[in-house]
Amino acid sequence: MSIMGDNLKGDGHNDKIKQSGNGKRKHDNPIYGNYRSYYNKRRRQEEDPRLSQFKLEWFENKDVLDIGCNSGDLTIEFVRKLKAANVLGVDIDRGLVARANRLAKSNYARHSALQLNDAPFIPVSFLHIMGSTKWSPMDNVKFLEMDFCASEEVEESAYDVITCLSTVKWIHLHHGDEGVKRLFRKVYKALRSGGRFILEPQPWQSYRKKRWLSPEIKATFQSIVLKPIQFKEFLLNEIGFASCTIAGAANDGSKFGSAEGCKRDIQVYTK
């Protein structure tokens, strides 16, 4: 999942993502983690296995921010399956955000059609034309092109839950230790008292595999002191989270990571 950039509308990073000097599209070499087929590679099951690690009580009737939402597949499930009240997904990549908004709209259309029991058939095109209604289950999911880490200000105590799933590595490789520390401080500020920060950090060996993506990334990689294994200590002792629990590691059988698939611990911090 990707979350790089500078502001809500973008600052040129998206141009770099879209086009490189040799005319190739930059997402063919996704140096910001902006994989176009992330969810196809990440999972082989119909449902993202990480959902089984999330408790309903963490999300139900809660305001949620998903940092690095990619194309929004998992983000939408926070509403559909975990019954969140409102969800905002943010990502650097304009194309992925547009895809996420289309996905949310198509989910709205399918669910709305199921609820219109008075009619035998409601074309999806009709629902797109007529727009949202007050009972649409997707009205409470929004996606924005944004860099939460680099934005100047963050609304204090705005969210009950903030998720950052398989994203922090990309912030780390582009902005180093200071970028990650800034991210963690802003997450803490944006959470309400008792709120949860759900973090799925990538292991150090996955950093090593990506250090060759660019000379800049290689230089940043070599400067890193705060390793992923140290995040817990930093978040508890320096940032101020009260506790940390491990939700578990969802083995999704994907192409990512080891032969067993992508299997990463999900850390849950409570403010």
Side-chain angles (χ1 to χ4, degrees), residues 1-7 13 17 31-35 65-70 89-93 96-97 144-151 163-172 174-175 179 183:
M1 293 189 176
S2 63
I3 175 67
M4 301 294 301
D6 190 38
N7 53 46
H13 282 289
I17 290 170
I31 63 170
Y32 300 105
N34 49 313
Y35 296 101
L65 171 66
D66 184 20
I67 301 172
C69 62
N70 197 268
V90 298
D91 201 284
I92 177 185
D93 192 297
L96 288 173
V97 169
L144 293 177
E145 177 193 342
M146 178 184 181
D147 184 349
F148 177 84
C149 181
S151 59
T163 60
C164 186
L165 307 173
S166 292
T167 296
V168 70
K169 173 179 74 178
W170 300 105
I171 295 171
H172 217 167
H174 285 272
H175 291 297
L183 167 71

Side-chain angles (χ1 to χ4, degrees), residues 10-271:
D11 66 339
H13 282 289
N14 285 286
D15 295 333
K16 293 179 183 178
I17 290 170
K18 291 179 179 180
Q19 196 78 23
S20 64
N22 59 11
K24 293 183 179 179
R25 292 179 65 85
K26 202 68 170 180
H27 60 67
D28 293 336
N29 185 25
I31 63 170
Y32 300 105
N34 49 313
Y35 296 101
R36 281 319 198 250
S37 57
Y38 175 82
Y39 284 101
N40 291 335
K41 293 180 179 179
R42 174 73 204 233
R43 70 174 190 261
R44 291 180 180 176
Q45 301 95 320
E46 182 175 345
E47 179 179 275
D48 193 306
R50 288 174 292 186
L51 283 170
S52 66
Q53 306 301 318
F54 300 154
K55 295 182 180 180
L56 180 65
E57 64 195 63
W58 297 347
F59 290 84
E60 189 172 16
N61 300 318
K62 299 294 196 300
D63 295 323
V64 180
L65 171 66
D66 184 20
I67 301 172
C69 62
N70 197 268
S71 57
D73 299 53
L74 181 60
T75 316
I76 286 172
E77 295 303 314
F78 295 161
V79 168
R80 290 206 328 170
K81 182 169 183 177
L82 298 175
K83 305 186 186 306
N86 296 286
V87 177
L88 173 63
V90 298
D91 201 284
I92 177 185
D93 192 297
R94 186 173 302 159
L96 288 173
V97 169
R99 183 187 297 182
N101 278 310
R102 289 195 299 270
L103 182 63
K105 192 171 185 179
S106 66
N107 271 279
Y108 149 68
R110 288 195 294 270
H111 282 259
S112 299
L114 291 173
Q115 294 189 44
L116 295 175
N117 296 322
D118 294 337
F121 173 71
I122 302 294
V124 168
S125 58
F126 172 83
L127 295 166
H128 282 306
I129 293 170
M130 296 304 293
S132 177
T133 65
K134 64 182 180 180
W135 40 260
S136 165
M138 291 293 107
D139 274 349
N140 49 357
V141 181
K142 305 295 182 185
F143 295 96
L144 293 177
E145 177 193 342
M146 178 184 181
D147 184 349
F148 177 84
C149 181
S151 59
E152 291 296 324
E153 297 295 333
V154 60
E155 185 178 357
E156 189 170 357
S157 302
Y159 300 99
D160 302 294
V161 179
I162 297 178
T163 60
C164 186
L165 307 173
S166 292
T167 296
V168 70
K169 173 179 74 178
W170 300 105
I171 295 171
H172 217 167
L173 288 175
H174 285 272
H175 291 297
D177 289 345
E178 288 307 311
V180 169
K181 291 176 181 179
R182 183 167 63 250
L183 167 71
F184 290 161
R185 292 188 185 102
K186 295 181 78 169
V187 164
Y188 189 84
K189 182 178 180 181
L191 276 174
R192 295 167 182 152
S193 179
R196 291 181 174 88
F197 176 38
I198 302 176
L199 176 67
E200 183 189 27
Q202 295 99 319
W204 182 244
Q205 58 264 35
S206 75
Y207 283 60
R208 295 180 63 86
K209 292 177 181 178
K210 299 300 181 182
R211 70 187 188 276
W212 308 111
L213 285 175
S214 73
E216 294 80 11
I217 285 177
K218 182 181 178 182
T220 303
F221 170 83
Q222 292 172 338
S223 74
I224 290 174
V225 175
L226 181 65
K227 304 291 179 59
I229 198 171
Q230 299 169 298
F231 287 171
K232 179 179 177 180
E233 180 181 0
F234 184 82
L235 284 160
L236 293 175
N237 298 337
E238 299 294 330
I239 300 299
F241 281 97
S243 64
C244 174
T245 59
I246 303 300
N251 185 355
D252 58 14
S254 71
K255 299 176 184 177
F256 286 20
S258 68
E260 291 80 18
C262 185
K263 191 173 184 180
R264 299 169 182 158
D265 284 341
I266 297 172
Q267 303 169 357
V268 183
Y269 295 88
T270 301
K271 181 175 179 179

